[in-house]
């Protein structure tokens, strides 16, 4: 039976605003719809099982072999093995280093992609699946406050049948981010908006709702697409295969914002990977550790501005998927329709809030002690692991995830360690490139006129 995808909101009571979506759809449909019509998130109705021997056989093999295993388990009914292999080879043409800190405590660096953020892993594979599975030209619109936009833009660069338009707030992104967004080019155009991130998002929303644009096959490629979860299962399996002895258990520490990355680990465990505990440290946005401790969920709005800025999330979108996996239901506004099994969650998950002070102190301590450089997100992961080990005692095999390259956070690193991190090649190449952003005002009509003049139908 092929895997089908259902909505996390399928069990909510119908209201004037929202009618639960009770059907199940194919992966291709879920991928191209992005979100269910009832604003729920798509979930697979079955989780494929890993063959333990197949996992152990990945030891010493390139990352792409782990990727093929996982992609095949989820998608073999809808995409041919040959196509899947090609997508994997094109998506993962960079290294995934594992750095030993002490004993068998490791840092997995997920910053080797073209935009030096772990979001490249998911965006590159999802983009290629969309290019394969769409049957007419796709026009993708993205509003970004920085890193997601460049990962998406870079992932779709040169892909057939797709045009990408990225809106960013001119005065709210860093110089590096602006350069990353402006210089992609070809089928990816950045619009530099004289306004705030919320204005960008509002204009994109309005375009999706605009009947006059219905012929343009607009799509969002947004962060809640299940197409971005499958690629985020792979590196847990890869890490386990490289590091574990036969069937021993492993601990992962995942710096968490919208919980998509951690969700990949939760699926890996449910597929049979021997994950003893999934640590989900957060920054000052502590709604989730608070929920685990008290059973009471309260969103944080507006979210708190912390150093690890890609994790400044006061109501994680993928929490709906965690709730669903543990038998609960929560909607987009953070209203709990049914409580999940909290004792099961506490058994498998662990979460703690790491302050900015601790984040900086961790960057400094791990650099001084081991000569290892972390940026704020990776430091939250490492510090979360340390706090966990203090609570439970030692665990033999642990991996903390570093999700961005330190060179993307030179000020924080300078402050903590007194040095300036070396940029990876991908970021160094940027200085040679010329940007071609189109400047627009916060004005929907101007935006719409840009779209109708430039987008193919
Ligand atoms: C997006 C992001 C995160 C958070 O990942 P989620 O899947 O949203 O939990 C962590 N670190 C970096 C660098 C990111 O860009």
């Amino acid at each position: 039976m092929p895997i089908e995808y259902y909505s996390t909101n399928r069990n909510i009571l119908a209201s004037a605003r929202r009618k639960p979506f009770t059907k199940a759809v194919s992966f291709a449909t879920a991928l191209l719809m992005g979100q269910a019509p009832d604003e729920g998130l798509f979930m697979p109705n079955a989780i494929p099982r890993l063959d333990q021997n197949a996992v152990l056989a990945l030891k010493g093999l390139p990352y792409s072999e782990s990727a093929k295993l996982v992609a095949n388990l989820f998608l073999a009914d809808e995409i041919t093995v040959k196509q899947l292999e090609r997508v994997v080879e094109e998506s993962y043409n960079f290294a995934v280093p594992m750095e030993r800190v002490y004993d068998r405590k490791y840092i997995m660096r997920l910053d080797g992609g073209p935009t030096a953020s772990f979001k490249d892993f998911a965006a590159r594979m999802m983009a290629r699946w969309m290019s394969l599975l769409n049957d007419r030209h796709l026009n993708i619109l993205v509003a970004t406050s920085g890193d997601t936009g460049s990962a998406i833009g870079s992932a779709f660069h040169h892909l057939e049948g797709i045009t990408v338009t990225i809106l960013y707030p001119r005065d709210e992104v860093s110089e590096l981010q602006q350069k990353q967004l402006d210089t992609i080019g070809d089928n990816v155009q950045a619009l530099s908006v004289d306004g705030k991130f919320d204005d960008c998002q509002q204009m994109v929303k309005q375009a999706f709702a605009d009947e006059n644009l219905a012929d343009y096959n607009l799509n969002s490629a947004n962060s809640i697409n299940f197409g971005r979860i499958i690629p985020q299962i792979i590196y847990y399996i890869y890490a386990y295969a490289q590091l574990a002895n036969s069937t021993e258990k492993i601990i992962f520490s995942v710096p968490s914002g919208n919980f998509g990355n951690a969700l990949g680990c939760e699926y890996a465990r449910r597929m049979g990977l021997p994950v003893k505990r999934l640590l989900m440290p957060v920054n000052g946005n502590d709604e989730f550790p608070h929920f685990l401790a008290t059973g009471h969920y309260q969103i944080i709005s507006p979210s708190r501005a912390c150093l690890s800025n890609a994790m400044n999330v006061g109501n994680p979108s993928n929490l709906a998927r965690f709730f669903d996996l543990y038998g609960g239901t929560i909607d987009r506004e953070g209203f709990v329709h049914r409580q999940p099994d909290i004792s099961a969650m506490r058994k498998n998950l662990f979460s703690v809030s790491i302050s900015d002070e601790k984040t900086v102190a961790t960057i400094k301590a791990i650099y001084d002690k081991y000569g290892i450089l972390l940026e704020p997100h990776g430091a939250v992961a490492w510090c979360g692991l340390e706090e966990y080990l203090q609570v439970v005692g030692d665990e033999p095999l642990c991996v903390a995830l570093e999700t961005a390259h330190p060179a993307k956070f030179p000020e924080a690193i300078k402050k903590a360690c007194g040095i300036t991190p070396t940029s990876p090649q991908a970021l160094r190449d940027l200085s040679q490139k010329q940007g071609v952003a189109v400047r627009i005002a916060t004005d929907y009509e101007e935006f719409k006129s840009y779209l109708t003049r430039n987008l193919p139908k």
Side-chain angles (χ1 to χ4, degrees):
M1 275 269 286
I3 299 173
E4 289 191 309
Y5 293 79
Y6 63 81
S7 167
T8 53
N9 278 345
R10 71 200 175 287
N11 291 323
I12 61 172
L13 292 175
S15 68
R17 205 173 74 70
R18 198 151 47 189
K19 189 167 162 282
F21 181 75
T22 53
K23 284 188 279 209
V25 300
S26 67
F27 175 74
T29 304
L31 180 78
L32 294 168
M33 284 173 76
Q35 190 170 18
D38 59 6
E39 299 183 336
L41 276 62
F42 282 119
M43 301 281 289
N45 63 0
I47 298 177
R49 289 294 296 180
L50 283 169
D51 169 0
Q52 194 65 31
N53 290 324
V55 172
L56 294 174
L58 296 169
K59 196 184 190 82
L61 297 184
Y63 186 81
S64 53
E65 295 303 315
S66 299
K68 285 175 198 166
L69 178 78
V70 175
N72 266 316
L73 284 172
F74 274 92
L75 303 177
D77 287 315
E78 295 187 48
I79 304 179
T80 68
V81 170
K82 224 177 149 136
Q83 285 174 320
L84 280 176
E85 290 192 348
R86 194 164 144 220
V87 164
V88 163
E89 299 294 349
E90 285 178 10
S91 301
Y92 303 122
N93 50 2
F94 49 87
V96 186
M98 223 88 70
E99 216 168 307
R100 194 175 146 269
V101 184
Y102 70 91
D103 298 344
R104 292 174 72 224
K105 312 290 184 288
Y106 292 85
I107 283 164
M108 175 158 57
R109 292 204 180 263
L110 302 176
D111 58 8
T115 72
S117 139
F118 94 99
K119 295 210 164 59
D120 288 329
F121 283 80
R124 291 176 68 76
M125 197 126 111
M126 179 179 73
R128 283 165 178 78
W129 290 334
M130 282 187 159
S131 174
L132 272 178
L133 293 171
N134 69 339
D135 43 23
R136 50 181 281 223
H137 194 95
L138 268 181
N139 286 303
I140 294 189
L141 302 183
V142 199
T144 186
S145 54
D147 281 356
T148 308
S150 55
I152 292 283
S154 154
F156 281 101
H157 192 204
H158 286 325
L159 290 192
E160 232 167 276
I162 299 182
T163 303
V164 181
T165 307
I166 305 172
L167 285 77
Y168 69 82
R170 192 176 306 153
D171 297 326
E172 289 182 7
V173 301
S174 73
E175 216 173 303
L176 175 73
Q177 285 173 328
Q178 182 163 351
K179 192 97 186 179
Q180 278 186 305
L181 292 163
D182 290 353
T183 54
I184 303 170
D186 306 303
N187 62 328
V188 180
Q189 179 63 55
L191 302 186
S192 166
V193 178
D194 185 11
K196 297 184 173 313
F197 171 62
D198 289 342
D199 300 324
C200 298
Q201 206 160 28
Q202 195 48 47
M203 289 201 286
V204 167
K205 269 193 189 158
Q206 207 171 334
F208 283 125
D210 190 334
E211 283 174 12
N212 297 326
L213 296 175
D215 290 346
Y216 287 92
N217 199 20
L218 298 180
N219 195 295
S220 68
N222 61 23
S223 63
I224 52 175
N225 197 306
F226 198 79
R228 283 179 58 176
I229 304 299
I230 297 171
Q232 292 176 172
I233 298 171
I234 298 163
Y235 33 77
Y236 298 102
I237 293 166
Y238 173 75
Y240 183 85
Q242 307 315 309
L243 301 172
N245 302 320
S246 67
T247 57
E248 78 172 319
K249 297 222 167 181
I250 189 167
I251 305 270
F252 284 106
S253 183
V254 185
S256 292
N258 268 318
F259 293 6
N261 198 0
L263 187 72
C265 187
E266 176 72 21
Y267 275 111
R269 187 179 64 73
R270 286 170 186 257
M271 291 169 77
L273 196 74
V275 178
K276 182 162 183 189
R277 205 74 175 267
L278 162 56
L279 318 185
M280 299 167 61
V282 296
N283 59 24
N285 293 281
D286 61 355
E287 65 283 353
F288 187 61
H290 183 76
F291 170 75
L292 277 186
T294 64
H296 182 68
Y297 185 67
Q298 177 78 54
I299 70 171
I300 296 176
S301 175
S303 61
R304 298 173 184 145
C306 303
L307 266 183
S308 46
N309 55 16
M311 295 166 21
N312 292 340
V313 179
N315 183 22
S317 44
N318 281 294
L319 189 60
R321 289 192 169 115
F322 272 98
F323 265 53
D324 196 88
L325 287 170
Y326 285 90
T329 305
I330 187 169
D331 65 24
R332 202 166 77 150
E333 291 74 34
F335 180 77
V336 178
H337 295 255
R338 193 203 300 165
Q339 276 286 46
D341 181 345
I342 297 183
S343 59
M345 276 184 158
R346 287 181 185 140
K347 188 168 145 276
N348 295 323
L349 314 175
F350 171 87
S351 186
V352 62
S353 166
I354 307 294
S355 66
D356 279 356
E357 292 71 40
K358 279 190 184 174
T359 304
V360 173
T362 301
I363 295 175
K364 176 170 167 46
I366 192 164
Y367 181 69
D368 288 348
K369 205 164 168 190
Y370 305 106
I372 287 175
L373 210 49
L374 289 178
E375 52 69 58
H377 305 82
V380 167
W382 184 261
C383 187
L385 173 61
E386 284 181 335
E387 300 213 346
Y388 176 72
L389 295 178
Q390 267 160 25
V391 175
V392 302
D394 192 40
E395 291 284 353
L397 181 57
C398 304
V399 177
L401 275 54
E402 168 64 301
T403 48
H405 195 282
K408 294 183 103 175
F409 296 87
E411 295 91 16
I413 299 212
K414 181 93 186 166
K415 187 171 157 204
C417 316
I419 61 159
T420 304
T422 322
S423 287
Q425 192 62 43
L427 298 185
R428 281 203 303 263
D429 288 347
L430 277 178
S431 59
Q432 314 295 325
K433 292 191 194 162
Q434 275 308 313
V436 282
V438 170
R439 293 163 79 97
I440 63 168
T442 296
D443 174 3
Y444 180 68
E445 289 309 319
E446 188 181 345
F447 174 49
K448 181 172 174 178
S449 146
Y450 169 84
L451 296 179
T452 52
R453 277 181 290 116
N454 291 281
L455 297 189
K457 275 193 196 172

